[in-house]
Amino acid sequence: MHDIFNCRNAFKMMLHIPAVLSKAQVAELRQQLDRSEHWMNGQLSAGSQAQKIKKNLQLDSSSVLYQQISPIILQALKSHHLITSAALPKHILPPLFNCYQDSGTYGNHVDNAIHYSPLLGQAIRTDVSLTLFLSEIDEYEGGELVVEDQYGCHEVKLDAGDVIVYPSTSLHRVEPVTQGKRIAAVTWIQSMIREDAKRSMLFDLDMTIIKLRQQIGDTEEVLQLTHHYHNLIRQWGDL
Ligand code: NI
């Protein structure tokens, strides 16, 4: 785990979650994605401002392949305990698949606050942004996801199968891919906890409780901390 990606403090959280998909799962997905003929210009899905800075390809969401693989990835994200703990999801959108190559890039932007969920048939608020890397680091040059916050720029380039989550309020970009191909899945989460700072504190508390349980077992005090955790969610949660 690379510490630089885990920039946690009281206000913002970026979290690197390794091996959300196995190498075998990635290989199978890549085989299907690499031979698909349903890659479209990613500008078609962007607003007019984003069109000027976005240059990538996106898998057609009406294609059979998309309909097959998107639910599988969504299920993998939903069932991962660290994603659940870090994002406290109320809704997770079906992931989109994108491909950057031939100097493909996405300039500085903040993600749209509202996304339409085809599953729910309603709009959701984006609190947490998520990228699942599907290309290995040595498959391409450039292509770093750069997330800016008040502490500076964080460059993210992860192994295939790994995930980064970061607040959707962050300014971010994807650097030009000068060689090779960078394939990733991206999605957005509406959290039960709207504020980054509160979500970050709950994550720290949850991780501390898990470590304590491993070290000393379910003592009275550990149980009390667990009660606090649940009562904070009750207090802060927007359900
Ligand atoms: Ni974005």
Side-chain angles (χ1 to χ4, degrees):
M1 177 125 34
H2 311 274
D3 280 342
I4 189 168
F5 301 136
N6 296 320
C7 305
R8 294 218 309 277
N9 55 63
F11 304 104
K12 294 270 182 183
M13 176 169 65
M14 281 186 79
L15 188 70
H16 168 202
I17 305 172
V20 171
L21 295 186
S22 69
K23 294 297 183 196
Q25 286 175 305
V26 170
E28 199 186 325
L29 275 171
R30 278 297 303 274
Q31 225 179 22
Q32 294 170 304
L33 287 168
D34 285 355
R35 66 170 184 233
S36 173
E37 287 165 3
H38 297 280
W39 290 99
M40 300 160 50
N41 185 342
Q43 287 175 334
L44 297 172
S45 70
S48 58
Q49 269 189 322
Q51 278 184 8
K52 294 177 197 149
I53 54 170
K54 189 178 186 188
K55 185 188 171 215
N56 67 2
L57 298 172
Q58 194 171 298
L59 186 67
D60 182 352
S61 57
S62 64
S63 65
V64 172
L65 177 59
Y66 178 86
Q67 307 283 345
Q68 281 172 351
I69 62 178
S70 189
I72 296 170
I73 305 295
L74 181 59
Q75 193 48 45
L77 300 177
K78 277 183 175 172
S79 58
H80 197 284
H81 71 286
L82 278 177
I83 294 173
T84 302
S85 178
L88 292 164
K90 182 174 181 181
H91 302 300
I92 307 182
L93 286 167
L96 304 174
F97 298 85
N98 58 40
C99 174
Y100 294 81
Q101 58 190 358
D102 305 324
S103 305
T105 181
Y106 196 165
N108 264 333
H109 65 281
V110 170
D111 293 337
N112 282 343
I114 303 291
H115 273 254
Y116 180 76
S117 166
L119 284 184
L120 295 169
Q122 71 181 58
I124 74 154
R125 187 186 65 232
T126 60
D127 296 315
V128 177
S129 299
L130 182 152
T131 298
L132 165 65
F133 288 77
L134 294 172
S135 290
E136 295 292 358
I137 290 170
D138 60 8
E139 281 183 66
Y140 59 100
E141 297 284 333
E144 295 84 1
L145 169 68
V146 181
V147 182
E148 292 186 15
D149 63 23
Q150 67 264 51
Y151 301 100
C153 288
H154 309 286
E155 281 194 6
V156 183
K157 194 167 176 174
L158 302 177
D159 292 335
D162 288 13
V163 156
I164 187 93
V165 291
Y166 57 97
S168 298
T169 49
S170 314
L171 189 66
H172 59 276
R173 63 179 178 274
V174 176
E175 296 284 25
V177 172
T178 53
Q179 231 172 35
K181 192 159 74 170
R182 176 198 191 270
I183 292 185
V186 296
T187 191
W188 295 269
I189 297 169
Q190 179 169 339
S191 178
M192 293 184 287
I193 307 295
R194 183 178 190 153
E195 281 179 51
D196 295 336
K198 287 176 179 168
R199 225 169 30 241
S200 180
M201 284 190 276
L202 285 168
F203 179 68
D204 284 343
L205 181 54
D206 191 25
M207 291 299 109
T208 305
I209 290 170
I210 288 170
K211 280 181 202 147
L212 271 179
R213 288 184 71 182
Q214 286 165 355
Q215 287 167 11
I216 61 173
D218 285 325
T219 65
E220 183 78 10
E221 291 76 12
V222 170
L223 286 176
Q224 292 226 351
L225 275 181
T226 309
H227 297 161
H228 283 307
Y229 174 78
H230 289 292
N231 285 335
L232 282 171
I233 291 182
R234 230 185 303 278
Q235 188 78 19
W236 291 343
D238 101 61
L239 301 169

